[in-house]
Amino acid sequence: MRSAKDFFAPLAVGAPQPVREVPARPTRMIHFFDPSNPKMAAKVPDMIGTVDVLLGNLEDAVKADNKLAARQGLVDIAKATDFGPTQLWTRINALDSPWVLDDLTTLVTEIGDKLDVIMVPKVQGAEDIHYIDRLLAQLEAKAGLTRPILVHAILETARGMVNVEEICGASPRMQGISLGPADLAADRKMKTTRVGGGHPGYLVRQDPVDGDIQGQRSTYQQDLWHYTVARMVDACAMHGIYAYYGPFGDIKDVVACEDQFRNAFLLGCVGTWTLHPAQIAIARKVFSPDPADVAHAYRVKAAMGDGTGAVMLDGKMEDDASLKQCLVMVELAQQLGAIDPELGEQYEA
Ligand code: 1VU
Ligand code: MG
C-alpha cells in the first residue's frame, strides 16, 4: 500500500500530476463501437454531441483477427476527429491477453492527448490497477502528456467483486466502475445465459392462500443484479468515483432495457453502456432526471432556508437529510443543463 503522502505523486518522472477529484462530466451513455467495423466507424463523427462518451472497443466483441485493425482504426479516428463536448474512451484487451501491452503503448503514444479514460476489463484486484497506473505514468511521461488519462474498471469476476473497495481506491486515476454482467455471471457460475437483465426463474412466490399450495399464487420476478449494483455503488461512493450499469444484450427489448437502466439510476449509477444506436435515447431519458423531480428538489431547497430543521411540504416532512437527497438531483440537473440547453430549460429553478 502506498503511503497517504505519496498517493498523489506522479508514478514516473515527467508524468502529469494525478487528479485530486474526478472531473464531474456527464457520462450518461458510454457508447461502444468497434473501430475495425467500417460501418460503425463511419458513424462516429455524426455521433459527436449526441452521446456523452464514445468508446472504441478493442476487447470482447472484436474478432481476434481484427484486434490490430481495431487498434489502428481507433488511432486513425481519434487523430482525424474533433470530439468537441464528447469524451473519447477506449476498452483495452484484458491484462493477460497478447494484445494489451501494444494497446497501451500505441494508444497512449499516438492519441494519449485525445483519450479521457481507459476502461480495463476483468479487473481482479488493486494489483491490476497498480500495474496500469505505473505503466500509464511511464507512457504519459514519454509522450509528454500534460493531463493524466483516467482508468475505469469493469466488475466482471467474483474476485473483482470481493475486492471492489480496494479496486476503487487503488489509484487517483480511478474514474469509475461498470458492471459486466455476462462475464461475472459466467465466473460466478450463475445459470443465466442472458447479457444483463432479469430472469423469469429468479422470483418469489406469494404464500398459499388458506394453505392451498396448488392454488393460484402470484409470482414476482426479482432483480438478479441488485446486490452487485448496490455493492458497486457503495464502493464507488466511498472513493468519490462513479458507478455504471454495463451491457444490456437484448437490443430489441427496449422496455426491459429501460427498466434495467432505471434500476441502476435509482440505486446511484450515473450512466450505462449503449451497444446499439437504439439504446442511446433510452439512456438519455433514464439518466437525465425527470424535470418534475428536479422542480420538487428546488422547492425543498427553497423551503429549507439555511438547510437545517424540518418543514412540511405537500403533507410530507422534509429535513436536513431529505434536502441532501434533493441536492443530488439539483447538482445533476445543473451539470446536464450546462451541456444540454433543452434540458437546461426544463430544469430551470
Ligand atoms: O445502417 P447501417 O447498415 O449503415 O449501420 C447499421 C450498423 O452498422 C449500425 N450500428 C452501430 N453504429 C454505431 N455504433 C454501434 N454500436 C452500432 N451498432 C450498430 O447501425 C445500423 C443498424 O444496425 P443493426 O440494427 O442492423 O445492428 P447490427 O446487426 O449491425 O449490429 C448489432 C450488434 C449488436 C452486433 C452491434 O450493434 C454491435 O456490435 N454493437 C456493439 C457490441 C459491443 O460493443 N459489445 C461489447 C460490449 S458487451 C460485453 O463486453 C459483454 C457482453
Ligand atoms: Mg466482459
Side-chain angles (χ1 to χ4, degrees):
M1 195 182 81
R2 250 186 286 176
S3 151
K5 71 180 172 37
D6 295 332
F7 193 68
F8 290 102
L11 286 176
V13 175
Q17 198 66 37
V19 292
R20 289 197 169 250
E21 210 170 309
V22 181
R25 297 177 66 184
T27 44
R28 292 164 294 178
M29 66 298 286
I30 303 167
H31 184 72
F32 274 59
F33 69 96
D34 173 353
S36 72
N37 178 321
K39 272 189 176 176
M40 278 196 211
K43 290 195 162 46
V44 165
D46 288 341
M47 297 184 103
I48 291 167
T50 70
V51 294
D52 295 335
V53 177
L54 275 163
L55 180 144
N57 177 34
L58 308 185
E59 200 226 7
D60 292 355
V62 174
K63 287 183 87 59
D65 286 349
N66 290 346
K67 293 290 187 185
L68 305 193
R71 186 193 297 144
Q72 190 54 46
L74 180 57
V75 169
D76 295 343
I77 291 167
K79 282 190 170 168
T81 310
D82 175 358
F83 288 89
T86 297
Q87 296 188 50
L88 178 66
W89 294 20
T90 186
R91 179 170 79 170
I92 55 172
N93 284 289
L95 295 180
D96 60 356
S97 77
W99 304 291
V100 66
L101 189 57
D102 288 339
D103 289 346
L104 284 164
T105 49
T106 304
L107 296 179
V108 178
T109 309
E110 301 269 337
I111 56 166
D113 56 334
K114 292 272 181 92
L115 274 180
D116 292 288
V117 175
I118 292 181
M119 184 182 276
V120 185
K122 301 175 178 70
V123 171
Q124 301 269 22
E127 69 280 7
D128 288 341
I129 302 301
H130 295 157
Y131 168 80
I132 291 278
D133 201 6
R134 177 78 74 173
L135 186 54
L136 282 180
Q138 293 166 340
L139 292 168
E140 287 167 344
K142 196 168 167 214
L145 299 185
T146 52
R147 174 181 62 99
I149 298 170
L150 302 185
V151 169
H152 181 112
I154 312 180
L155 196 55
E156 51 186 349
T157 66
R159 185 145 81 87
M161 187 72 224
V162 168
N163 292 331
V164 63
E165 288 89 1
E166 66 166 49
I167 291 170
C168 291
S171 159
R173 285 185 200 275
M174 283 302 297
Q175 179 275 343
I177 300 245
S178 288
L179 170 70
D183 273 299
L184 182 56
D187 197 52
R188 281 175 169 167
K189 300 195 180 354
M190 289 167 70
K191 307 302 182 297
T192 169
T193 54
R194 300 171 176 208
V195 175
H199 193 290
Y202 193 70
L203 49 80
V204 292
R205 187 177 300 271
Q206 182 192 6
D207 278 358
V209 178
D210 298 329
D212 177 12
I213 56 174
Q214 300 302 338
Q216 187 65 33
R217 294 157 69 185
S218 302
T219 60
Y220 309 91
Q221 195 173 320
Q222 305 294 296
D223 181 359
L224 274 180
W225 301 106
H226 179 269
Y227 155 79
T228 311
V229 172
R231 183 152 176 215
M232 175 179 75
V233 166
D234 280 346
C236 287
M238 167 180 162
H239 287 285
I241 69 173
Y242 297 106
Y244 299 81
Y245 181 73
F248 188 86
D250 193 344
I251 306 288
K252 298 279 179 236
D253 192 349
V254 291
V255 177
C257 176
E258 182 170 335
D259 293 337
Q260 179 76 73
F261 287 0
R262 186 163 289 104
N263 285 351
F265 175 68
L266 288 170
L267 276 183
C269 291
V270 298
T272 182
W273 302 2
T274 53
L275 305 184
H276 187 278
Q279 295 183 334
I280 294 172
I282 306 171
R284 175 172 297 100
K285 177 179 169 195
V286 170
F287 288 94
S288 309
D290 185 333
D293 289 339
V294 176
H296 171 75
Y298 274 118
R299 279 186 70 217
V300 173
K301 187 169 179 260
M304 280 295 293
D306 73 353
T308 62
V311 295
M312 280 289 272
L313 204 60
D314 304 332
K316 298 190 180 76
M317 188 275 306
E318 307 288 350
D319 70 357
D320 313 46
S322 64
L323 173 62
K324 284 183 204 155
Q325 291 173 271
C326 291
L327 292 179
V328 169
M329 205 66 86
V330 166
E331 199 182 312
L332 179 57
Q334 286 174 345
Q335 240 180 49
L336 295 176
I339 57 141
D340 184 333
E342 205 181 311
L343 278 180
E345 267 178 37
Q346 294 175 34
Y347 291 158
E348 256 167 33

